């Protein structure tokens, strides 16, 4: 297998990430502040919460890929650990939109820096001992998992009343 | 990069496919016939339609991966080309559940047969000429795209009223 072939695996995975991120970005960008405040379907999470949740989960990729510290560590508490409407303070929609942009810029700089070999190295939440036995628990697995996480919530946002 | 490393890319991609397929299978299996007939959220597609749509799209992977003919070609007309409630005849829920099982068995036999090199070969809907210029339009891209398609609809099914 040539170097080109090796890098093709990574190219395809990064392209898939980009495709779903772009689709999501388009939808989130089109939602007004009022629409963000409404539940996606009656009685369920607000689009606002899903927006913050996506920022929190994608931001957590930075430490999980061992690429540094998250930009918005406080989002994890509000948008992952707690359900919607449980926190006492939420960011404003302006902060949310800016955080999403800043994070996407940061990820678009960090992700292409990893070599094919680096993508096959362990992610942060598996020990070196376990990784020796389960080498599929690598950075690439994190990227694929987070890509499907994007499409999972995109599917939900698409169910909003038009 | 060693042969083990090459195959790891494929292992991770197939594991991701399996994870989302298993999650979906669990949810679809738990839905009663009555629940399948109800729209996922008021006014939108029935779970039944999403079920058939997932069969049709996953079945279309077989020809798209150049691995043979689809098992249920007639599903594409009913569950991809036409929106929900537009067809005059639908399969029964028994047929739907059996088709899902048969298809998953077939895919679980076919997909592991492809070598890492074969995953980087072109998929059926790109010409050899275009593929020479865009080598990322390969079988792996189809697998990743279909994996995120699974999670997209899983997200929607999870919004059903509990």
């Amino acid at each position: 297998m040539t170097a080109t072939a090796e890098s093709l695996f990574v190219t395809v995975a990064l392209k898939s990430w980009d495709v779903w991120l772009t689709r999501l970005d388009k939808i989130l960008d089109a939602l007004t502040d009022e629409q963000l405040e409404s539940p996606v379907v009656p009685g369920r999470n607000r689009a606002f919460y899903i927006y913050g949740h996506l920022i929190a989960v994608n931001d957590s990729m930075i430490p999980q890929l061992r690429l540094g510290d998250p930009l918005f560590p406080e989002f994890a508490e509000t948008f992952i650990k707690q359900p919607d409407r449980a926190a006492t303070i939420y960011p404003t929609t302006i902060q949310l939109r800016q955080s999403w942009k800043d994070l996407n810029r940061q990820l678009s700089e960090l992700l292409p820096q990893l070599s094919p070999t680096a993508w096959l190295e362990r992610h942060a939440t598996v020990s070196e001992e376990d990784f020796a036995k389960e080498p599929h628990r690598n950075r690439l697995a994190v990227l694929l998992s987070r890509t499907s996480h994007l499409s999972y919530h995109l599917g939900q946002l698409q169910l909003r009343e038009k």
Side-chain angles (χ1 to χ4, degrees), chain A:
Chain A
M1 185 159 286
T2 65
T4 311
E6 287 169 22
S7 64
L8 257 176
F9 281 109
V10 175
T11 301
V12 170
L14 285 176
K15 270 191 185 286
S16 175
W17 165 261
D18 281 338
V19 162
W20 291 97
L21 193 65
T22 302
R23 286 177 189 165
L24 207 40
D25 185 54
K26 205 172 156 187
I27 284 191
L28 292 172
D29 197 49
L31 292 178
T32 64
D33 287 4
E34 255 190 347
Q35 288 172 321
L36 283 175
E37 277 301 324
S38 310
V40 172
V41 302
R44 306 303 287 267
N45 291 335
R46 293 171 296 162
F48 178 91
Y49 180 82
I50 292 177
Y51 201 161
H53 175 73
L54 287 162
I55 295 170
V57 169
N58 290 356
D59 195 23
S60 75
M61 283 173 77
I62 298 176
Q64 202 169 359
L65 294 174
R66 301 191 287 117
L67 294 173
D69 294 322
L71 301 186
F72 313 105
E74 70 282 10
F75 274 42
E77 185 63 35
T78 312
F79 294 108
I80 299 179
K81 290 182 196 155
Q82 296 190 76
D84 193 13
R85 302 181 188 85
T88 46
I89 300 177
Y90 282 97
T92 64
T93 53
I94 293 174
Q95 287 171 320
L96 212 62
R97 293 181 198 277
Q98 191 58 49
S99 305
W100 173 252
K101 281 199 187 89
D102 292 345
L103 175 61
N104 288 342
R105 193 180 309 113
Q106 179 77 346
L107 287 172
S108 70
E109 283 174 18
L110 290 173
L111 299 184
Q113 290 176 19
L114 290 168
S115 68
T117 307
W119 278 107
L120 296 182
E121 289 166 359
R122 75 176 176 88
H123 61 65
T125 46
V126 63
S127 70
E128 294 196 19
E129 197 176 14
D130 286 345
F131 182 63
K133 286 174 279 184
E134 300 178 300
H136 59 273
R137 298 172 70 181
N138 50 35
R139 286 175 169 133
L140 182 70
V142 173
L143 180 68
L144 297 195
S145 167
R146 294 308 170 276
T147 303
S148 285
H149 182 256
L150 292 178
S151 56
Y152 180 96
H153 289 295
L154 180 66
Q156 298 186 325
L157 291 171
Q158 293 283 35
L159 280 188
R160 290 182 57 255
E161 280 184 57
K162 294 289 153 66

